[in-house]
Amino acid sequence: MGLIVQKFGGSSVANAERVMNVAQIVTETYKAGNDVIVVVSAQGDTTDDLIAKGKEINPAGSKREMDMLMSAGEQISIALLAMAIEKLGFRVVSLLGWQAGFESSSVYGAARIKRINCDRLRTEIGQHRIVVVAGFQGLNKYDDITTFGRGGSDTSAVAIAAAMHADKCQIYTDVDGVYTADPRKISNAVKLDEITYDEMLELATLGAQVLNNRSVEMAKKYNVELEVLSSLERKPGTIVKEANNKMERMLISGVAKDTDVSRISVIGVADEPGIAFKIFSRLAAKHINVDIILQSVGRENTKDISFTVARGQGDEAVEIVKQFTSSVSGKDIVVDNNVAKVSIVGAGMESHPGVAAKMFEALYNARVNIQMIATSEIKISVLINQDDADRAVTAIHAAFFD
Amino acid sequence: MGLIVQKFGGSSVANAERVMNVAQIVTETYKAGNDVIVVVSAQGDTTDDLIAKGKEINPAGSKREMDMLMSAGEQISIALLAMAIEKLGFRVVSLLGWQAGFESSSVYGAARIKRINCDRLRTEIGQHRIVVVAGFQGLNKYDDITTFGRGGSDTSAVAIAAAMHADKCQIYTDVDGVYTADPRKISNAVKLDEITYDEMLELATLGAQVLNNRSVEMAKKYNVELEVLSSLERKPGTIVKEANNKMERMLISGVAKDTDVSRISVIGVADEPGIAFKIFSRLAAKHINVDIILQSVGRENTKDISFTVARGQGDEAVEIVKQFTSSVSGKDIVVDNNVAKVSIVGAGMESHPGVAAKMFEALYNARVNIQMIATSEIKISVLINQDDADRAVTAIHAAFFD
């Protein structure tokens, strides 16, 4: 009994049959005595198809018009889901982002949710209707439609759950929860019953791709309990919530692999103060996120600086570093795309100093060479040769979970 | 120099190439020194495809959700057209029905425009932007999206032209104007330079299908000058406006054929007062439009009543009449679907009594038998055998225009 927000992604509503399946899940939740607000994405490839239509006409079309174009996708899926729910005999109403009260910043294509005016949502819930809301979209101060960027529908769902003080926010996907490793690769990967917001944030960053970071950050901020579960199976998923005593018994919660990495090494820069600052401030100015940084002493009063960036930003990062080094102390720049980042994440590792050693031992036994190491309070990442990545994940997973 | 409203139908924006063509027309009008508001329909078959998607999930889905679903079609086309206009280097903004200020009645699927709040339109025009507006859609008092039914985009365009006091409303279609007869059938059909609202109304009713009646009625009411022209050719079309002296010289403005007709005859009803009233009030109660009515004396104190309805309403009309006659004076009911209505329309015929005679003479010479006749101030219609229809149109057209 309570208010439950359920979010279904594009693949969960990709065709008529799946829309009916979602309608079943939603109405079962309603029949169990809950109020239900459902957030849906555009069907299947609809968003990509709409973008392609726009790009065909004008590859440099404005982001305002692109948002107008894309947001039609969710409009179609909310109407279809509402009709499916009507077919099952329940009272329902679909609402566009602006009808549901989503007020956003003005940045088209990547708007932030500023506020949800819940009046209409409350009215519809008060009339015992199931409410189907278009994810990913809001309205800015000019009364123009905006979209929220990648993972925007997850963020919409968490924002509604926070604003409406929902009891739970269920994120339905095509996996049935969060695993200790990619279950397609690691046969004995274990599904987690619970995980903390911070662990989930690290796993999302590390390429587990179950939940978008923004939505987890918002859930953490407003203490919204999330559940990640499958729309194709009827079984409990993984709960994402604040740490508690029970959860802390688990040393690490997952092993993740990220191959979307480039390593850039600047060899033999002058060993003088401010070089690192100058390089990384230039990268930051161009919105390039640097992940792991390693600085080592080179030969003859020089030093070597290595860092990793997302693969897609590798070329731009090299250009920026080249311009800088040629103007100051032009040296060799080496780019390595054949790398992978493998990480373990666990809220328990803070109080267990042996975790890093155990990870490194597993890698040593598997003959995996470590290029770089980075640590945070709940994460240890190593950069290794990409060819070793799957072997490394298997070895680490076995060391901690077998 | 002035404000021009241009409306483009679904086939005019069916693909990327056609959208670019429309952008050319619009920007040429703008470059000539005009402010331009463009109203567009959904692309090609988009609306039908969306309806099919909805019906697949729930054939009995609510009209509210159907409007939510369908209105996504225009949203896509306005964004695409705006991007095309951006590509040509012009300032442009696309607006959904509600953003353009369309306030409608609450009847989903067939809403009437109550008012246009022109604030936003004026602001955008004031900033010298070309404004692209989604036709066919508005917002009702519940803040829900409504659609305007058949011909809704034409009506949207005329309503904007009226509310913004535009100098002209151009309706672009796939024909280049209004003809004295269907040019695909009658080789020497003549394109009219001008036609009156009333003539256009009669022609629209009679199946000329160039302009929707509702939009012509609104244009007449608010004295909006319409132009019907082709989006594929750059030449003047047909102006639709109030009658003036020049126009009255033309005796008739067109010959039209309508095969979407059923003739229903009720044979041998009692010859007593109120029979006709009772039949037609029952039909009216079921929203069945009766067109031509003929009542004649039958045998033995009975009479025969014949009338025509749209083909699609024939079965329902027969059912209604059957129920009535069986309860009162059950007689034969005959339905004939093999009929056609051929009409001539002309504001000039009021002052020229020989027009009907000339039409009947042409039909006699072509050996076409007339089943029923109906006349109005500017129209003469005959109901004939459908097999004779094309021959009848040719003969009448030749009599008046050769």
Side-chain angles (χ1 to χ4, degrees), chain B residues 24-304:
Chain B
Q24 285 288 355
I25 294 174
V26 170
T27 54
E28 281 166 20
T29 311
Y30 183 85
K31 272 190 289 189
N34 301 291
D35 291 318
V36 186
I37 299 175
V38 194
V39 175
V40 275
S41 306
Q43 290 188 293
D45 300 326
T46 305
T47 305
D48 289 341
D49 292 347
L50 288 173
I51 292 171
K53 258 176 177 281
K55 298 273 182 206
E56 183 189 2
I57 285 173
N58 185 355
S62 69
K63 288 186 173 172
R64 182 200 183 270
E65 298 303 338
M66 202 48 114
D67 279 2
M68 177 69 91
L69 181 65
M70 282 193 292
S71 57
E74 289 78 35
Q75 181 164 345
I76 292 168
S77 56
I78 59 172
L80 294 177
L81 179 55
M83 287 182 187
I85 292 171
E86 284 175 347
K87 190 174 186 186
L88 299 179
F90 292 80
R91 288 164 59 83
V92 62
V93 64
S94 71
L95 298 179
L96 296 163
W98 67 267
Q99 292 175 314
F102 277 86
E103 299 171 11
S104 84
S105 67
S106 303
V107 185
Y108 298 105
R112 300 198 70 84
I113 300 167
K114 288 171 74 173
R115 177 173 172 263
I116 301 180
N117 177 339
C118 294
D119 293 349
R120 174 108 194 226
L121 286 171
R122 284 203 197 92
T123 304
E124 301 291 356
I125 290 291
Q127 296 183 357
H128 304 294
R129 289 202 181 90
I130 296 168
V131 183
V132 181
V133 176
F136 183 65
Q137 57 177 246
L139 204 66
N140 68 16
K141 63 183 173 187
Y142 307 112
D143 269 2
D144 284 339
I145 293 175
T146 55
T147 68
F148 299 157
R150 267 183 80 106
S153 289
D154 286 1
T155 311
S156 296
V158 175
I160 287 182
M164 292 287 289
H165 304 289
D167 297 277
K168 191 189 275 190
C169 181
Q170 296 182 312
I171 308 285
Y172 285 85
T173 69
D174 45 8
V175 297
D176 63 355
V178 181
Y179 278 74
T180 52
D182 185 342
R184 289 165 300 186
K185 296 272 175 62
I186 306 295
S187 60
N188 58 347
V190 181
K191 194 177 84 181
L192 300 166
D193 293 332
E194 296 183 326
I195 185 170
T196 68
Y197 296 121
D198 288 336
E199 289 172 317
M200 192 69 234
L201 281 171
E202 294 287 8
L203 284 172
T205 314
L206 297 171
Q209 287 179 345
V210 179
L211 274 179
N212 179 270
N213 248 9
R214 233 167 114 191
S215 57
V216 181
E217 277 166 12
M218 189 182 283
K220 178 181 154 122
K221 184 171 174 188
Y222 294 102
N223 202 22
V224 172
E225 185 175 310
L226 297 178
E227 182 176 7
V228 177
L229 66 181
S230 164
S231 59
L232 303 173
E233 302 171 68
R234 298 285 204 280
K235 59 183 190 188
T238 299
I239 304 280
V240 188
K241 57 191 234 184
E242 209 43 83
N244 64 24
N245 287 334
K246 174 175 169 277
M247 292 168 77
E248 284 182 9
R249 282 181 301 165
M250 194 145 207
L251 198 57
I252 77 167
S253 59
V255 185
K257 177 184 82 169
D258 184 2
T259 55
D260 180 30
V261 185
S262 287
R263 179 172 61 91
I264 297 166
S265 301
V266 191
I267 311 287
V269 290
D271 189 12
E272 56 190 41
I275 292 287
F277 160 71
K278 284 170 188 164
I279 289 178
F280 295 114
S281 64
R282 276 171 175 75
L283 292 168
K286 296 287 184 183
H287 301 288
I288 294 176
N289 273 325
V290 174
D291 186 16
I292 308 178
I293 298 174
L294 185 83
Q295 180 176 308
S296 60
V297 177
R299 279 168 291 183
E300 295 167 9
N301 272 349
T302 65
K303 54 190 176 188
D304 305 338

Side-chain angles (χ1 to χ4, degrees), chain A residues 15 20 48 57 71 79 104 107 132 139 152 180 217 229 236 240 242 266 274 291 298 338-339 343 349 395:
Chain A
N15 54 44
M20 284 310 306
D48 288 342
I57 285 173
S71 56
S104 83
V107 185
V132 180
L139 204 67
T180 53
E217 276 165 13
L229 65 179
V240 188
E242 209 44 83
V266 192
D291 186 15
N338 190 32
V339 292
S343 310
M349 69 173 64

Side-chain angles (χ1 to χ4, degrees), chain A residues 180-190 390 393-395 397-398:
Chain A
T180 53
D182 185 342
R184 290 165 301 185
K185 297 272 175 64
I186 306 294
S187 60
N188 58 347
V190 181
D390 287 336
V393 171
T394 305
H397 194 269

